[in-house]
Amino acid sequence: MRRALPCFVGIALGLAGLACGAEPRAETKLAQAKPPISAEVLESSQPSDWRRPDPVNTLYLDMPGGRVIIELAPRFAPEHVANIKALVREKFFDGLPVGRVQDNYVTQWGDMDEVRQSEAAKRKLPDETAIALGKSMPIVKLPDPDSYAAGTGWLDGFAVGFESAPAGQVWMTHCYGVVGVGRGDWPDTGSGSELYAVIGQAPRHLDRNIVLVGRVLRGMELLSSLPRGAGPLGFYTDDEKSKRTLIGSARLAADLPESARSAIEVLRTDTPLFARYVESRRNRHEPWFVRASGHIDVCNVSPPVREVK
Amino acid sequence: MRRALPCFVGIALGLAGLACGAEPRAETKLAQAKPPISAEVLESSQPSDWRRPDPVNTLYLDMPGGRVIIELAPRFAPEHVANIKALVREKFFDGLPVGRVQDNYVTQWGDMDEVRQSEAAKRKLPDETAIALGKSMPIVKLPDPDSYAAGTGWLDGFAVGFESAPAGQVWMTHCYGVVGVGRGDWPDTGSGSELYAVIGQAPRHLDRNIVLVGRVLRGMELLSSLPRGAGPLGFYTDDEKSKRTLIGSARLAADLPESARSAIEVLRTDTPLFARYVESRRNRHEPWFVRASGHIDVCNVSPPVREVK
């Protein structure tokens, strides 16, 4: 029986080299001048369209299965990011478990058993669930409606929502792969001793309810494919605890020698090329597609990441 | 350090019994008359608010880790659903592998290696990516904007998008857990010999590009937590093939004795109670929340499933 072609769900994750063939499309109603597909946009990129994440804001979680690379977002949550860095530099996370994996929701790790003490980290941090919307902020805006926010787009490479009223605010959105800080009931904002990553449908109702501090650039599968916890809300039960995945070490890239760093770069979001990339995602013209959406959700565009050659 | 309370990301998956305490909220700006939270809505449900999926349209995939239960959607794709049933009744899927797991996208299973022949299934099927929008269709509509569709809601318990113009159409949306039919290039719509389930952020750009046939009611974690394939687009490589998960058997519930069936029921979507449930998801009033969204994406409401007592 006919096999679904590999191009079936194409380059959704920015896998530029894997695009389907560029044969003329059987359907012509969409493609008048044949706009470029994502793979072609990326192939046309220049070195200046890419950036290397700042090592000071790059967090490595070295796990049994490999390295998770997280880009921290100090513009959005400066004090929480500073706290996480303080914890990392104390080696606070080393040997701590992934303690919760809730299907279609979050993977959470850190001091789940409340066994560690920190000397350097603060226990009380301010509300950093959103920042003031500045008039000159270089937000790259999406034209499409969003179910949750007045507007969406990207700032500093992170997906954001924003509104002008009642209070001008911009905030990181809970897209797949975003990293946040576990907390108890408000006004506790969490110290950073427990972090989570979104592993399912974007739980956008969490936006502005909890502090986000970055996003996973590499290694999401190490967090998303873990066994789901059998306890309530995906926490591992006592019976499962002995099988929890442990964090070997958590380090900032800046604290490692160059030879131990991962050489990756991220597509800049503040360029004409990124605008073309987004447009190629809003309207898919790969041969496999019958119909272009004409729209996109901000969480369906993940700024591509590649190895540095 | 402060542990994130279990209520952290509460009852997002309809885990009614796990709601956080119902203490008065510190924040009062949202809660004037204290609308019910999801757990309270579900606790107030009557037996008539639930339905047992029709055994004729209930597909079991019995896997090494347990049972995946899929509710088929004959209203939306009658010929594809009929073909899948014909394949199942030939025991076509028994022993076939999960051959593809692409992170934040799809898990795909079936005749990935093109080794089987079917006597009963058709090879060519009509376009069933959408159906005509009927004036009296009992679509339960969401009031919120959607990034992709003119309107969204539920029909027969399935999340849908719809539009009145240019052609009145309604279609199942690619939400987490939806099941579709792999295909090659159009006009091939796929025979049903390869199926996929969405395991990440809703790839709504696939809506009306590929035929959807149902959704997973139980056992999503058996599909979503599998190791990601190392090959392009998440296909397992030749080196990985020996470790692929195999489908023990695929059966329709109707073809099994009662004792071998899973007794579950699904919250009806065509009831006043479901409307209250959706409202409780649009505006979260559990104590943990600081801010209610006031909106929701159709893919963030999954009609709850429970065991029959």
Side-chain angles (χ1 to χ4, degrees):
Chain A
M1 307 213 104
R2 184 72 185 274
R3 178 168 182 272
L5 297 183
C7 53
F8 158 42
V9 276
I11 53 171
L13 297 177
L15 302 168
L18 304 171
C20 306
E23 301 83 10
R25 303 179 69 252
E27 291 279 328
T28 56
K29 65 177 185 281
L30 297 173
Q32 292 175 343
K34 196 175 180 312
I37 63 172
S38 305
E40 294 166 341
V41 173
L42 293 178
E43 281 163 12
S44 73
S45 69
Q46 301 299 310
S48 58
D49 290 313
W50 299 81
R51 64 184 174 84
R52 294 189 69 161
D54 186 345
V56 169
N57 291 315
T58 304
L59 174 59
Y60 296 149
L61 302 182
D62 285 319
M63 318 273 281
R67 175 171 282 179
V68 178
I69 306 177
I70 296 166
E71 182 172 21
L72 298 170
R75 184 205 285 258
F76 295 91
E79 296 218 30
H80 285 78
V81 166
N83 235 39
I84 291 165
K85 290 180 183 179
L87 291 167
V88 166
R89 285 174 163 156
E90 286 181 315
K91 300 187 168 58
F92 180 91
F93 290 101
D94 295 15
L96 288 177
V98 175
R100 176 190 187 191
V101 187
Q102 183 174 359
D103 196 57
N104 191 22
Y105 211 30
V106 295
T107 288
Q108 193 170 340
W109 64 90
D111 192 21
M112 315 290 291
D113 303 330
E114 301 181 76
V115 295
R116 295 271 164 101
Q117 296 291 329
S118 169
E119 297 294 322
K122 295 178 182 171
R123 285 169 181 269
K124 187 163 173 54
L125 294 171
D127 176 2
E128 295 182 324
T129 54
I131 60 176
L133 178 64
K135 284 184 180 169
S136 59
M137 271 183 176
I139 299 174
V140 177
K141 297 177 183 175
L142 257 186
D144 303 302
D146 180 77
S147 298
Y148 294 85
T152 60
W154 291 268
L155 180 61
D156 294 357
F158 298 99
V160 296
F162 59 88
E163 65 183 17
S164 300
Q169 286 191 327
V170 56
W171 58 90
M172 286 175 66
T173 46
H174 273 80
C175 298
Y176 190 91
V178 80
V179 175
V181 175
R183 67 164 171 87
D185 273 2
W186 202 258
D188 172 18
T189 66
S191 69
S193 66
E194 288 184 53
L195 301 173
Y196 67 92
V198 169
I199 62 164
Q201 171 68 17
R204 297 280 307 281
H205 54 284
L206 298 179
D207 289 359
R208 291 192 282 178
N209 273 294
I210 189 164
V211 176
L212 294 177
V213 291
R215 80 155 173 133
V216 175
L217 299 180
R218 272 282 187 265
M220 258 309 288
E221 69 283 2
L222 299 171
L223 301 173
S224 62
S225 67
L226 294 173
R228 278 47 181 158
L233 305 175
F235 283 91
Y236 288 119
T237 63
D238 286 343
D239 287 347
E240 295 172 312
K241 280 189 176 175
S242 65
K243 293 178 287 185
R244 294 188 299 193
T245 299
L246 302 180
I247 298 162
S249 68
R251 297 287 181 275
L252 296 175
D255 295 341
L256 294 182
E258 186 72 39
S259 61
R261 298 182 192 172
S262 300
I264 60 170
E265 52 190 11
V266 185
L267 195 67
R268 295 176 65 106
T269 53
D270 57 351
T271 59
L273 184 113
F274 185 73
R276 291 198 295 277
Y277 179 76
V278 172
E279 183 54 32
S280 74
R281 308 307 287 171
R282 296 178 71 244
N283 286 294
R284 301 286 291 261
H285 294 293
E286 292 89 344
W288 184 89
F289 281 84
V290 184
R291 176 190 292 271
S293 297
H295 298 288
I296 203 162
D297 182 302
V298 70
C299 289
N300 280 107
V301 182
S302 184
V305 178
R306 69 179 186 183
E307 314 301 320
V308 174
K309 290 169 189 169
Chain B
M1 307 212 101
R2 185 70 185 274
R3 179 166 180 272
L5 298 182
C7 53
F8 159 41
V9 277
I11 53 172
L13 298 178
L15 301 168
L18 304 170
C20 307
E23 301 84 10
R25 304 178 67 252
E27 291 279 327
T28 57
K29 66 177 184 284
L30 296 173
Q32 293 174 346
K34 194 172 181 315
I37 63 172
S38 304
E40 294 165 342
V41 173
L42 294 179
E43 281 163 12
S44 73
S45 68
Q46 301 299 311
S48 59
D49 290 313
W50 299 81
R51 64 183 174 85
R52 294 189 69 159
D54 186 344
V56 169
N57 291 315
T58 303
L59 174 59
Y60 297 149
L61 301 182
D62 284 319
M63 318 271 282
R67 176 172 282 180
V68 177
I69 306 178
I70 296 167
E71 181 172 21
L72 298 170
R75 183 203 286 258
F76 295 92
E79 297 219 30
H80 285 78
V81 167
N83 235 39
I84 291 165
K85 290 180 182 178
L87 291 167
V88 166
R89 286 175 162 155
E90 286 182 315
K91 301 186 167 60
F92 181 92
F93 290 102
D94 296 14
L96 288 177
V98 175
R100 177 191 186 191
V101 186
Q102 183 174 358
D103 196 58
N104 191 21
Y105 212 30
V106 295
T107 289
Q108 191 169 341
W109 64 90
D111 193 20
M112 314 291 290
D113 304 330
E114 300 180 76
V115 295
R116 296 269 164 101
Q117 296 291 327
S118 169
E119 296 296 321
K122 295 178 182 171
R123 287 168 178 269
K124 187 163 174 53
L125 294 171
D127 176 2
E128 294 183 323
T129 54
I131 60 176
L133 178 64
K135 283 185 179 170
S136 59
M137 270 182 176
I139 299 174
V140 177
K141 297 177 182 176
L142 256 187
D144 303 302
D146 181 77
S147 299
Y148 294 85
T152 60
W154 290 269
L155 180 61
D156 294 357
F158 298 99
V160 296
F162 60 88
E163 65 183 16
S164 300
Q169 285 191 327
V170 57
W171 57 92
M172 287 175 65
T173 46
H174 273 81
C175 297
Y176 190 91
V178 81
V179 175
V181 175
R183 67 163 172 86
D185 274 2
W186 202 257
D188 172 18
T189 66
S191 69
S193 65
E194 288 184 52
L195 301 172
Y196 66 93
V198 169
I199 62 164
Q201 170 69 17
R204 297 280 308 281
H205 54 284
L206 298 179
D207 290 359
R208 291 192 281 177
N209 273 294
I210 189 163
V211 176
L212 294 177
V213 291
R215 81 155 173 132
V216 176
L217 298 180
R218 272 282 187 265
M220 258 310 287
E221 69 283 1
L222 299 171
L223 301 173
S224 62
S225 67
L226 294 173
R228 278 48 181 156
L233 306 175
F235 283 91
Y236 288 119
T237 62
D238 287 341
D239 287 347
E240 295 172 311
K241 281 190 175 175
S242 64
K243 293 179 288 186
R244 294 188 299 191
T245 299
L246 302 182
I247 298 162
S249 68
R251 296 288 182 273
L252 296 175
D255 295 341
L256 294 182
E258 186 73 39
S259 62
R261 298 182 192 172
S262 300
I264 60 170
E265 51 190 12
V266 184
L267 194 68
R268 295 174 63 107
T269 53
D270 57 350
T271 59
L273 185 114
F274 184 73
R276 292 199 294 277
Y277 179 75
V278 171
E279 184 54 32
S280 74
R281 309 307 288 170
R282 295 178 71 243
N283 286 295
R284 300 288 289 262
H285 294 293
E286 292 89 345
W288 184 89
F289 281 84
V290 184
R291 175 190 291 271
S293 298
H295 298 288
I296 203 162
D297 182 302
V298 70
C299 288
N300 280 109
V301 182
S302 184
V305 178
R306 69 179 186 183
E307 313 303 319
V308 174
K309 290 170 188 168

